[in-house]
Amino acid sequence: MHLTRGDKQKAVLVVGGTGFIGSAALRALTDDGPPPTGAVKALVRRIPDASDALHGVEYVTGDLTDPASLHGVCDKVGTVLHCASYIGADEERNRSVNVDGTRALLAEAQRAGVRRTVLVSTTAVYGAGPHHDLTENERVPQPTSPTSRTRLQAEEAVLAAGGTVLRPPLVYGAGDVWVVPSLAELLRRVQALPEDGRARLSLVAVDDLARLLATLARTPDLLPPGTTHHAAHPYAPSLREFVSLLGETLGLPVPTEGLALDDYLARLRETPGKVSAHQAGLLAEDRWYRSTLWSRIGCSPGPGHHTRLSEAAPWYRKLLTPQ
């Protein structure tokens, strides 16, 4: 989406502009060519090399854990896309980035007169499943990890400030080092699917999520302030369906066998790997979230999972090929 000259005083600031989702959002904001000077800004901890920087994007440095470093980053900004978060087990780091950092960013946005902040959160805030065709207001979040607990607190701060919260589910595409790589590892370790792969899983391609963010950045009045929305592709495939797509697009093995969850986890524990039994167990129950946001704001959800996986295949092949 291209910015016109009249948008100069209403820049878009992408927080976490070199991250997986943030960098995709920047690409979506510049997909029609370089924007006018100062129209698209990216808050990063380190300015990217020239070969990695997007032409026309103004990169500014700052750290969410250092409020003083944020002063001025929101000047002449109309919309903030907050795509930065810490994901890990460090309780203090989760709090300093996800909670305190978000509050510091909101304070700077208020000082500068930013019109709207959009936070990229996660459906993980709901906690234990199963989640079957879940709507945004159907269930009170009950996060179970330090990351999801603090990201819910970040949501609360953004909503209180009149911002918008998006909860994407599993996000895949070029740059993904978790979703598809984890499935590839599990398929290598156990040649079977838990509960025969019947669980339905909501997913979204990062490029489609980025288009959604760009649409909201351009037209913040499409959604009422202080609201939360799922950002999943409308079709939630079963685990077996998605693994079959991985077989078609990436050549990964597609197991024909199914195992009861306890048997699957017992077999998984016999093999070393990065993916834990707890994480694998999440794939055995529905994590399916209804998402009507696309039609509400007139943004296409994209060509579908098969096409998006095919487009990302070169990235995944390079990542998954042993060096």
Side-chain angles (χ1 to χ4, degrees), residues 219-293:
T219 48
D221 291 333
L222 286 174
L223 296 174
T227 53
T228 301
H229 308 270
H230 292 155
H233 189 278
Y235 180 68
S238 69
L239 174 61
R240 181 166 293 282
E241 285 180 273
F242 193 68
V243 167
S244 295
L245 292 178
L246 295 179
E248 291 180 39
T249 57
L250 297 177
L252 296 183
V254 180
T256 58
E257 183 183 4
L259 291 173
L261 180 58
D262 288 346
D263 294 334
Y264 176 86
L265 295 181
R267 190 179 296 185
L268 186 70
R269 292 187 181 99
E270 295 172 357
T271 61
K274 295 180 180 179
V275 182
S276 68
H278 170 73
Q279 292 166 331
L282 299 178
L283 300 173
E285 59 185 12
D286 283 349
R287 293 189 177 271
W288 170 19
Y289 308 95
R290 188 181 305 176
S291 184
T292 60
L293 180 58

Side-chain angles (χ1 to χ4, degrees), residues 122-160:
T122 170
T123 54
V125 298
Y126 289 114
H131 305 149
H132 183 83
D133 197 19
L134 199 68
T135 62
E136 292 89 345
N137 301 312
E138 187 176 342
R139 179 168 175 161
V140 176
Q142 295 180 309
T144 58
S145 71
T147 294
S148 55
R149 282 196 298 271
T150 52
R151 293 183 80 176
L152 180 61
Q153 289 176 281
E155 284 189 15
E156 292 166 349
V158 168
L159 293 173

